[in-house]
């Protein structure tokens, strides 16, 4: 991959703030004319620096106010067991994020549900039945202070 320069980084930063910005406005903000800005955007996309565009949604307005972080410890961490867990966790709609962790547990999940009752159902019927799950520990979010892209 080609190296990114400070203008490329400015383009990425502006697009992370507002992916709906016009190319003309983006070019103005990063100090380029429209065509070179478009070419840089296309190169950043083709080289995988920009992997897509999405809408940030206020999940609480959709009734998904309950956030929990769950530490997951597996009973087996062989490559085969990790792969089985990885594939299965991707199918759980309520799992917003899943990260393999180096530490005292194996995975950290961000779960979003309507309320504690629906979280309890997800924990009992989905998370605890994932392959190789030995133990889970739940941390309930009391207040969302900062979330990427949302003020």
């Amino acid at each position: 991959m080609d190296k990114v320069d400070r203008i490329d980084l400015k383009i990425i930063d502006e697009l992370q703030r507002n992916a709906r910005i016009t190319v003309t406005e983006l070019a103005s903000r990063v100090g380029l004319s429209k065509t070179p800005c478009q070419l840089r955007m296309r190169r950043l996309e083709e080289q995988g620096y920009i992997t897509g565009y999405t809408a940030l949604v206020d999940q609480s307005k959709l009734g998904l106010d309950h956030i929990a972080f769950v530490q997951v410890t597996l009973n087996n961490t062989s490559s085969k067991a990790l792969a089985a867990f990885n594939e299965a966790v991707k199918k759980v709609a309520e799992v917003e994020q899943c990260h393999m962790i180096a530490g005292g547990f194996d995975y950290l999940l961000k779960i979003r549900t309507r309320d504690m009752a629906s979280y309890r159902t997800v924990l009992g019927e989905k998370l605890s039945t994932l392959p190789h799950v030995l133990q889970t520990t739940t941390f309930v979010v009391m207040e969302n202070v900062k979330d990427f892209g949302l003020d």
Side-chain angles (χ1 to χ4, degrees):
M1 281 195 204
D2 295 350
K3 299 278 188 205
V4 294
D5 62 17
R6 65 177 182 76
I7 294 175
D8 292 331
L9 293 174
K10 281 180 163 180
I11 290 170
I12 291 168
D13 183 58
E14 289 294 336
L15 289 172
Q16 284 181 302
R17 292 174 195 277
N18 179 6
R20 294 183 66 176
I21 190 172
T22 66
V23 175
T24 303
E25 178 63 22
L26 177 61
S28 172
R29 289 187 186 186
V30 302
L32 293 175
S33 61
K34 184 178 174 180
T35 300
C37 186
Q38 283 178 313
L39 292 172
R40 281 178 179 256
M41 285 177 60
R42 187 172 303 120
R43 179 178 53 81
L44 290 167
E45 292 167 357
E46 289 170 355
Q47 293 178 347
Y49 289 97
I50 297 172
T51 58
Y53 299 88
T54 189
L56 297 174
V57 176
D58 184 341
Q59 297 292 334
S60 65
K61 289 190 179 203
L62 298 175
L64 297 172
D65 293 309
H66 188 267
I67 300 171
F69 287 90
V70 182
Q71 291 179 350
V72 177
T73 302
L74 303 183
N75 61 16
N76 180 347
T77 56
S78 68
S79 294
K80 188 174 181 179
L82 295 172
F85 179 86
N86 291 349
E87 286 307 307
V89 78
K90 290 175 185 177
K91 296 175 184 170
V92 180
E94 295 84 358
V95 175
E96 198 169 270
Q97 297 177 9
C98 175
H99 305 276
M100 184 185 289
I101 302 294
F105 56 96
D106 300 306
Y107 288 90
L108 182 64
L109 310 179
K110 180 180 178 186
I111 311 296
R112 188 178 291 272
T113 57
R114 287 185 315 279
D115 52 30
M116 182 59 82
S118 58
Y119 170 72
R120 177 66 188 100
T121 300
V122 170
L123 178 64
E125 296 178 6
K126 296 180 180 182
L127 300 180
S128 65
T129 65
L130 293 173
H132 305 287
V133 170
L134 174 66
Q135 178 182 340
T136 63
T137 304
T138 299
F139 300 90
V140 176
V141 172
M142 293 174 48
E143 180 181 358
N144 188 356
V145 177
K146 181 182 182 203
D147 206 344
F148 180 80
L150 302 175
D151 294 329

